[in-house]
Each structure stands twice: as C-alpha cells, then as structure tokens.
Amino acid sequence: MDNVIPLEAWFFEVPPVTRYWTTLSVITSALVQCEVLSPYQLFFSFHTAVGKQQYWRFITTFLYFGPLSLDFVFHLFFMSRYSRMLEDTFFRNNTLDFLWLLLYSATSLLLLSPFASLLFLGSPLSFSLVYIWSRRNPAVRLSFLGLFVFSAPYLPWVLFGFSLVLNNAIPKGDLLGIAVGHVYFFFEDVFPRLYGGVRPLSPPWRWNYRALLWR
C-alpha cells in the first residue's frame, strides 16, 4: 500500500498541458454521456464556427473523443501517454513551446479537415504527437500486443494498419495526423541540419535571426 500513488499526486505529476487537455476531454465526454451537451454542439465546420459565430467549436473539436467506451479509453490513453512523453522530455520546462506545437498542429488540422470530411480532430491531433515522438526516438523498441517488436518510427504505421483492419476503412484522421506531424518533424529536426540551423516552425521567441539570414 505504501507504493500506491494517491490520485491527486498522480494528477499533478502530469505536465500541465497534457493534464488539462486530458481533464477537459474526460469532462466533455462525461457531459455528452449525461446529455448535458450534444456532439452536434461540439463538432467543427467552417460554416458553423465562422458563419454562425460559434467560435467555441475551434476548441471543442479537439476535446471530444467520443462517448465513454473502450474506444474512448483507447484514444485517451494514446493522447495522454504520448503528449505527456513529449512534454516531459523534449519540452520539459518549455510549456510555451509545447503550446506552440499544439497551436501549429491544431491550425493545420482545422485547415485540412474539410478535405477529409472530419468533424472531430482530437484523435488526429494526438496522432500527430505520436508521430513526432516516434521519429524523435528511433532507438526505442516497442511491442504490439506482444505479437511482434518494432522500432518506434514504425509506431504510427502499425497503429494505422491496426485501425485499417479493425474498421475496414482508411483512417483519414490518422493520415492527417501523420502528415501534420511529419511537416513539423521535417522543419524542426531535418531542415535545420540542411540549412544552417533555420527552424521555420519554431515559435517567434526561439527564432535564430542570424540563421534566418542564411549566412
């Protein structure tokens, strides 16, 4: 019993952005489950969000992962796990930088969502984080359901294939998350090595203005 971590202690061990994103997602699904809210009030489309001035949809589309169910637990687990690992490692003590990553990813998904006919973007957003984490941890070995072992960079594609087989349909949200995550990874981790440290997607307070001159 001495090794049991109280729920409150565990809660505050989670870094702040992941903590509040997870909490708000649970509350949102609980309110829908209790019929206080309806999914129709939460989904995103430019017509409803902009045309009807329902601006909260820019946020709620990233908070609703479906009704309380096993599928909800699965998606919430992956969101909180990989968001936490990114925030705890590459963005430790850099909460603003992590928020900037989420802002870039969320904005990209909002712009791309009409082309994929996606109404809820929480899963694609978390999938973009899974992709970034996997590419930044190439040496990590993972196991899928105890069936086979693979390197971390293959994780998004393993999950994509699993979802494809499970649902018998192309998971467009996963593909969008991979695309958005890859753009971030390329410009933050690959591009600087090719062009003298220039990081086009870094937050403005991290810009290397001398590098921007490409000297």
Side-chain angles (χ1 to χ4, degrees), residues 54-75:
Q54 297 177 1
Y55 301 121
W56 67 83
R57 295 178 185 270
F58 284 100
I59 304 298
T60 56
T61 185
F62 297 105
L63 299 179
Y64 186 60
F65 287 83
L68 298 178
S69 62
L70 187 61
D71 185 64
F72 167 79
V73 173
F74 177 80
H75 282 92

Side-chain angles (χ1 to χ4, degrees):
M1 294 295 292
D2 292 338
N3 294 325
V4 176
I5 300 176
L7 181 61
E8 183 180 359
W10 171 84
F11 179 78
F12 286 104
E13 281 183 357
V14 178
V17 177
T18 301
R19 182 196 315 154
Y20 291 115
W21 186 13
T22 303
T23 301
L24 289 172
S25 297
V26 172
I27 291 173
T28 300
S29 287
L31 290 175
V32 171
Q33 195 75 19
C34 296
E35 299 184 353
V36 176
L37 293 175
S38 163
Y40 295 105
Q41 297 173 287
L42 307 174
F43 74 86
F44 173 81
S45 75
F46 282 102
H47 173 68
T48 53
V50 179
K52 295 186 177 181
Q53 298 182 337
Q54 297 177 1
Y55 301 121
W56 67 83
R57 295 178 185 270
F58 284 100
I59 304 298
T60 56
T61 185
F62 297 105
L63 299 179
Y64 186 60
F65 287 83
L68 298 178
S69 62
L70 187 61
D71 185 64
F72 167 79
V73 173
F74 177 80
H75 282 92
L76 195 72
F77 168 77
F78 271 90
M79 180 273 280
S80 60
R81 173 179 173 82
Y82 290 97
S83 175
R84 177 178 181 172
M85 287 197 294
L86 271 179
E87 194 176 355
D88 257 343
T89 53
F90 299 102
F91 296 92
R92 178 177 287 276
N93 299 321
N94 286 310
T95 299
L96 284 179
D97 286 20
F98 189 61
L99 285 172
W100 179 266
L101 163 60
L102 291 180
L103 177 63
Y104 150 75
S105 300
T107 302
S108 300
L109 289 169
L110 288 169
L111 294 174
L112 293 171
S113 62
F115 301 102
S117 301
L118 293 175
L119 300 178
F120 294 102
L121 301 173
S123 184
L125 180 58
S126 64
F127 214 84
S128 69
L129 301 183
V130 170
Y131 184 89
I132 294 168
W133 178 88
S134 70
R135 293 302 301 269
R136 287 185 166 181
N137 291 275
V140 174
R141 303 284 287 173
L142 302 170
S143 173
F144 182 72
L145 301 177
L147 299 175
F148 59 91
V149 177
F150 56 93
S151 299
Y154 292 103
L155 175 61
W157 301 107
V158 170
L159 295 175
F160 173 84
F162 179 70
S163 181
L164 179 63
V165 171
L166 194 64
N167 300 310
N168 197 29
I170 295 177
K172 295 180 289 185
D174 293 358
L175 285 178
L176 277 188
I178 288 173
V180 170
H182 181 74
V183 170
Y184 181 86
F185 171 77
F186 176 79
F187 282 112
E188 276 294 293
D189 295 68
V190 179
F191 193 86
R193 296 199 299 266
L194 301 175
Y195 296 100
V198 176
R199 298 177 182 272
L201 290 183
S202 290
W205 54 89
R206 298 289 183 188
W207 284 352
N208 183 341
Y209 293 98
R210 294 186 63 184
L212 287 174
L213 296 177
W214 290 32
R215 292 181 178 176

